[in-house]
Amino acid sequence: MLVAGSLAMTAMAASFDVAIAQTPAKTLFGKVKLPANLQARALGSYAKGCQAGAVALPVDGPAWQAMRLSRNRNWGQPVLIDFLEKLAADAKAYDGWNGLLVGDIAQPRGGPMSSGHASHQIGLDADIWLRPMPDRRFSMDERESVSAISMLKDGTRTVDSKKFTQAHFRLIKRAASTPGVARIFVHPGIKQALCSMAGNDRDWLRQVRPWYGHYYHFHVRLACPPGSTGCKDQAPPPAGDGCGKDLAWWLSDAPWTPKKPDPKKPPVKKRPVTLDDLPDACRAVLAAPDKPGAKVASASVGSAVYVPIEAEQILKALPKPRPLYY
């Protein structure tokens, strides 16, 4: 009887594992509301991974506000949260930028999302709006409804000089100049504007890469922190400032013209990413208990007390009064 019971339990466990393995990873990670009580680690690659020991960007800080809190995507690795807090403070102090409005970072345990991003999976990516923070705090409803602002002229791929200011330029330059930043993604039109405004100080432009969308926000990606085992860096960007042939291609019609389907090839249905596609450690991240004291962002509006991040791996100080020529 005991043997029969043990066999039944084993069969049930195996059936459960199969069900988990077949469930889209975005469903599994999307259900988890709080981070894993594990040592902070970015696991896997930016578009195929997860994160352990995440911390939340406080919903309100001295020079930032977190937006779209209902998504519960304000979780990142300590080094990223530290970067965002320092960038916000220094851009306000030195660059004429009133404060950051921060969009999506990652889910509490990272992983694939149900909408919006292919990356943002390991807690090292963040979206920063190109709309400056106002002089007041947004309400919960406003954080869901207030829109970011496009920097482009209507119907074009070029920026509107009335919207894209020197403060925008200095903010992006400061972010791209920070040690540990792997890439900044912007719309090709914004990259074009940065190229024309940069003057002779151009090394930082290498980190700024054109990409689809990104006309109302820019996307910061940090490199894997030193000694971060299990984290997979993206290949370094090509040498040079990226203001030549590559940018000209992005500004042409070629990348924006949909490819015609081949009538000889039937459409292939894309298989959803499952746990088997992610690093093995992501199973432990999903199974780990919640981090004590962690709260979803929407519960903190109007009541949270800002506490500076204490990261184990802090970035070097951001470039402060460095010459920001334009």
Side-chain angles (χ1 to χ4, degrees):
M1 189 74 174
L2 181 61
V3 172
S6 297
L7 289 173
M9 289 295 290
T10 301
M12 287 176 62
S15 176
F16 176 77
D17 287 342
V18 169
I20 290 294
Q22 293 176 345
T23 302
K26 63 183 180 182
T27 302
L28 298 173
F29 283 93
K31 287 180 178 179
V32 183
K33 302 301 181 186
L34 295 171
N37 188 27
L38 298 169
Q39 180 182 0
R41 289 175 65 195
L43 298 161
S45 64
Y46 301 96
K48 194 169 285 186
C50 63
Q51 64 169 333
V55 294
L57 177 73
V59 297
D60 291 309
W64 72 84
Q65 296 183 52
M67 303 296 286
R68 302 296 189 261
L69 301 180
S70 65
R71 298 177 182 176
N72 198 28
R73 295 177 179 176
N74 66 317
W75 301 90
Q77 288 296 290
V79 68
L80 176 64
I81 304 305
D82 177 63
F83 162 81
L84 292 171
E85 295 185 1
K86 287 179 176 176
L87 176 66
D90 288 350
K92 184 170 185 176
Y94 301 107
D95 301 328
W97 193 259
N98 194 49
L100 303 183
L101 296 178
V102 182
D104 287 352
I105 301 174
Q107 297 176 138
R109 305 193 187 196
M113 298 181 183
S114 61
S115 63
H117 306 282
S119 60
H120 288 256
Q121 294 194 25
I122 59 176
L124 296 176
D125 295 281
D127 288 343
I128 298 173
W129 287 19
L130 290 167
R131 174 176 183 156
M133 189 182 83
D135 290 327
R136 64 182 183 83
R137 295 291 162 178
F138 285 130
S139 67
M140 181 64 180
D141 288 342
E142 288 174 317
R143 290 172 200 249
E144 300 299 321
S145 61
V146 168
S147 297
I149 299 173
S150 170
M151 295 292 107
L152 303 181
K153 293 179 182 177
D154 290 344
T156 75
R157 297 178 197 132
T158 57
V159 299
D160 186 337
S161 60
K162 295 178 181 178
K163 297 178 181 178
F164 192 80
T165 66
Q166 298 291 348
H168 288 90
F169 169 80
R170 291 192 291 266
L171 171 65
I172 296 173
K173 181 175 182 178
R174 182 172 297 283
S177 301
T178 305
V181 170
R183 275 172 170 75
I184 305 281
F185 296 104
V186 298
H187 186 276
I190 294 176
K191 171 75 176 188
Q192 181 186 42
L194 296 172
C195 289
S196 68
M197 298 166 75
N200 294 326
D201 184 11
R202 307 184 70 82
D203 290 347
W204 59 276
L205 284 167
R206 180 186 180 192
Q207 313 304 116
V208 183
R209 313 308 301 175
W211 197 247
Y212 300 99
H214 297 84
Y215 46 83
Y216 58 89
H217 75 276
F218 66 98
H219 173 166
V220 176
R221 172 169 293 168
L222 297 191
C224 295
S228 182
T229 56
C231 181
K232 186 177 180 181
D233 269 314
Q234 189 173 1
D241 61 14
C243 297
K245 288 184 178 180
D246 288 346
L247 181 57
W249 180 83
W250 275 104
L251 294 168
S252 72
D253 290 336
W256 314 96
T257 304
K259 292 182 178 179
K260 294 182 179 180
D262 187 344
K264 297 180 181 179
K265 294 182 179 179
V268 178
K269 187 175 181 180
K270 193 173 182 180
R271 181 181 66 81
V273 173
T274 67
L275 266 181
D276 288 341
D277 299 311
L278 304 181
D280 291 342
C282 291
R283 292 178 177 272
V285 169
L286 270 181
D290 294 339
K291 194 173 185 178
K295 295 181 180 179
V296 296
S298 58
S300 303
V301 175
S303 63
V305 177
Y306 166 64
V307 179
I309 183 70
E310 293 182 3
E312 294 180 5
Q313 297 168 323
I314 301 297
L315 288 175
K316 296 178 182 178
L318 295 181
K320 294 185 178 176
R322 72 186 297 272
L324 293 173
Y325 301 117
Y326 52 86

